[in-house]
Amino acid sequence: MDNTSTPLSPQSEALKFIQYHQPPLKSGDYKIVVEQKLEMKAKGSVTPALTKTFTKEQLFSVRGNRFRLSPTDIHSFYPPAGSFSDHHLVVPHIILNRSTLPWERLPDATAASVSASSWLALLLFDEDETPKEEVLSLAHLEELYYDRGSWTNILGGIYPENEKPEEDKVSIIHVKKEVLETILPRYEDLAFLSHIRLNSKDGQVIGGEKATVMANRLPKENSATTVHLVSLEGRYPNGSRSLPQKDLVPLVSLHSWTFKCSEARQGFSETLEYLSVGTFRLPPTVTSTGEEFLEKGFIPLRHEMRMGQKTISWYHGPLSPALLHWPAPALPAASADELLHYHSDYGLFDVAYAAAWELGRKLALEDPRFAMALFHWKKELRIKELKKERLTNCEHLLQVDASDLFDAAYALQQAEEILLHQRLSPDHKHASCDIPPIIETFFYQLKRLEGVPTSYLIPHDTMLPPESIRFFSLDPRWMDCLLDGAYSLGEDTIAITKHTNNEEVHHHEGQETTGFLLRSSVLRGWADMLIHGYNTRLVDDSGEPLDENATKTYTPLPLLSAAHLSEEVLMVFFQGKVNTVDFSLPPDTLHFGLDEDGDLDEDLPGDSNNEYTGKFWQVLRNDDGREQQEEEDMKIKAIPFHSHEERVINIKGLTDAIRDKLVENNQLHLSAGESFCSAHFAMQMMEGASKVRITSQKAN
């Protein structure tokens, strides 16, 4: 079993490729025969010699997936379903959770044993080639394709096993024969289109082995592409393709998805590099009027007073361009009105903290389980405190010691410190004091702004325009008011409770909480991208990003929360002041592809089996797994195609070209008996890990 590995970066993460993981037995029916032979020698004339053989047979079957996959069988695929991006150089792939799946059946049913060739293939269909798909029961399928006691080669010569024909469903696609003859992989290609992918970090395996199946075709530019994972079981008798004499060829489809390939360059890196970068505020006005408030993240909003008067008031949410240094609100508050602040210079109210308090109370009331739990918990503590007070006043008469009784006031004070004052941290732990879990969970989620309407967070669209990133600081006083409003439910008359009147107690130990809001189409295609924040601007004097060796000397800020507010809006919090954000793709979404030179579009000489073009090329990696961008000798400048017009790659021809180039440059070191395989091919086809760096001071 051949394997090779390549580091994703100079850090401790590594991605390892393995040729295959063959199951011990291929799918089929088996018989175990156990034979025991007894021989007894003769003993004189009394006991004659005796020989007897005992035989026992046991039938069993190995049944791998054949006609369908469950959602848990599929780990991921690329490009993402429904994405619209620049995918025209991408070789699509699918990752399967079971590492043996592509080799559990055979494309050549005549083969005596398992092989490196997969029975699964990814077929790409252009928008005008999308096949008709229908779901049939096995019983119906048998009626259509069963002929005189044996299955015809219409479905590849596969034979029915012990499925339940009335219950089991099969998805069938009907492909035009002339299309299938062009895009169906050759048998010699199959051994290079599947491999095992293994992620590790610091020497520890992450997620286990996973099987990967690659396509053999590039998507069409400016068009929708449909991908089907199809069964090729029995399609290659004696190692050659066999298609029926039909205009439409039925294939079993195990999974499918669709994506769109844009004509413009809208890939992961390109989209992020062209983001508008700034702080979270309204755009500056042409006059200086109100700029003092606008630069702090305020926004003027219509305000209807309690008595019906209409005015304009200032509002800001919990996300501000910078940490506000305003007088702390007096908490606890009996009502939101106590938190209104009047700015006499402008003749306008500041309703931010009042709105936060009222919102906290509203969210608490909307959760009846939490509201009742908070009410009864406070009531229980109050009863215990009153009991202690009475016993304390009468302990000389009753001859009791009240000092050992439960101190409800102290317990409540400890709980308030956790619920209201303890800041969000990356390693959240349950409170050590006796707080009901439903109460603790509600406040923890509220600190993460879960349930807070987007209109409170982003009060105006112009603060976060399309394709933009906006940096902010989390206003701790706004959060205090939000939490105090939620905590205000229920009777609370314990005299010792004064949880925020003292500024020294309340405001605000620990590091500043900052973050960013991202609004971009990149979230549709790469919602699970990796995000690292740093409190240093990781750029050199000319503004260029520091290289990996320099970057790894800096420690990323703890990531507190990353929440999707919508399909295209992401809110991220860090512990500490964030000045640099790195976006990168996780190992499981690293994909395969080719490179393109738009200046080279003339075809190179070919032969009867290949079409070459200088438009596509491939940069190879050295034996350490690093791309050799600067080495002209480490580039495949003529990619072989079975059909350049239909973008169908000659996989076997490409693997031969890669192998020869690596040998020529002394970058392929095979052990005795080892051959160039799908693991080596996957490493060379893997696109480099895309990383985009954005700094907060690149505001525009």
Side-chain angles (χ1 to χ4, degrees), residues 176-221:
K176 293 180 180 179
K177 185 177 180 181
E178 62 268 23
V179 172
L180 193 59
E181 287 177 333
T182 302
I183 68 174
L184 193 67
R186 276 61 169 177
Y187 185 75
E188 58 269 20
D189 294 342
L190 292 179
F192 296 95
L193 291 175
S194 298
H195 60 270
I196 301 296
R197 179 182 291 198
L198 186 64
N199 297 314
S200 64
K201 184 174 183 179
D202 298 326
Q204 299 295 319
V205 175
I206 303 173
E209 293 184 351
K210 292 179 173 60
T212 303
V213 180
M214 300 167 55
N216 67 332
R217 190 184 189 189
L218 298 174
K220 185 178 182 179
E221 287 189 80

Side-chain angles (χ1 to χ4, degrees), residues 277-558:
V277 182
T279 54
F280 186 63
R281 54 158 293 174
L282 283 177
T285 59
V286 293
T287 64
S288 60
T289 304
E291 180 62 22
E292 175 189 358
F293 284 85
L294 296 182
E295 68 180 6
K296 292 180 173 64
F298 282 83
I299 179 173
L301 294 176
R302 293 186 179 91
H303 182 190
E304 187 170 336
M305 309 292 285
R306 193 179 301 279
M307 302 302 295
Q309 304 97 320
K310 295 182 179 181
T311 184
I312 299 293
S313 295
W314 292 112
Y315 170 79
H316 73 82
L319 316 178
S320 302
L323 190 62
L324 295 175
H325 299 284
W326 292 63
L331 297 175
S335 69
D337 288 348
E338 294 183 8
L339 300 173
L340 290 172
H341 182 73
Y342 184 71
H343 293 277
S344 57
D345 293 344
Y346 293 91
L348 297 177
F349 280 103
D350 173 0
V351 300
Y353 295 151
W357 192 93
E358 193 64 37
L359 175 62
R361 188 175 179 86
K362 176 176 178 290
L363 293 175
L365 289 170
E366 288 177 349
D367 188 339
R369 291 182 65 246
F370 163 77
M372 291 301 297
L374 183 64
F375 174 81
H376 288 300
W377 177 61
K378 286 185 175 182
K379 182 178 179 181
E380 180 183 353
L381 291 178
R382 179 174 179 270
I383 291 173
K384 289 180 179 180
E385 179 64 16
L386 289 175
K387 181 179 179 180
K388 181 178 180 180
E389 286 179 1
R390 290 168 182 170
L391 289 175
T392 301
N393 294 333
C394 302
E395 61 181 350
H396 65 287
L397 298 175
L398 300 176
Q399 296 183 349
V400 297
D401 185 3
S403 62
D404 293 334
L405 296 178
F406 179 76
D407 192 339
Y410 177 75
L412 188 65
Q413 187 181 44
Q414 291 295 103
E416 288 173 353
E417 182 65 30
I418 294 169
L419 298 177
L420 304 179
H421 309 331
Q422 191 176 85
R423 294 301 156 201
L424 195 62
S425 63
D427 52 348
H428 171 70
K429 298 178 181 179
H430 290 290
S432 57
C433 60
D434 189 18
I435 302 175
I438 187 174
I439 297 177
E440 184 186 0
T441 299
F442 180 89
F443 278 95
Y444 173 71
Q445 293 174 342
L446 202 57
K447 291 175 184 179
R448 292 163 57 94
L449 296 177
E450 294 180 21
V452 174
T454 304
S455 57
Y456 280 79
L457 304 174
I458 310 172
H460 200 278
D461 284 347
T462 57
M463 300 178 76
L464 186 66
E467 301 304 325
S468 68
I469 183 171
R470 294 292 183 260
F471 289 85
F472 61 76
S473 289
L474 184 65
D475 182 2
R477 297 190 178 97
W478 199 100
M479 295 299 299
D480 291 337
C481 295
L482 177 73
L483 298 171
D484 188 68
Y487 190 74
S488 67
L489 296 188
E491 185 179 14
D492 180 14
T493 58
I494 299 178
I496 200 171
T497 301
K498 42 185 177 183
H499 55 264
T500 57
N501 284 338
N502 190 335
E503 177 74 5
E504 295 300 322
V505 173
H506 173 66
H507 190 66
H508 274 286
E509 297 181 1
Q511 291 180 307
E512 179 182 0
T513 300
T514 65
F516 65 85
L517 284 163
L518 172 65
R519 181 181 178 185
S520 173
S521 59
V522 75
L523 293 170
R524 290 183 178 270
W526 297 275
D528 57 348
M529 61 185 173
L530 301 179
I531 300 171
H532 294 94
Y534 301 86
N535 61 5
T536 305
R537 296 187 71 240
L538 301 183
V539 293
D540 57 24
D541 294 338
S542 63
E544 292 297 317
L546 298 181
D547 60 27
E548 290 292 345
N549 288 326
T551 299
K552 68 180 182 181
T553 61
Y554 295 89
T555 303
L557 294 171

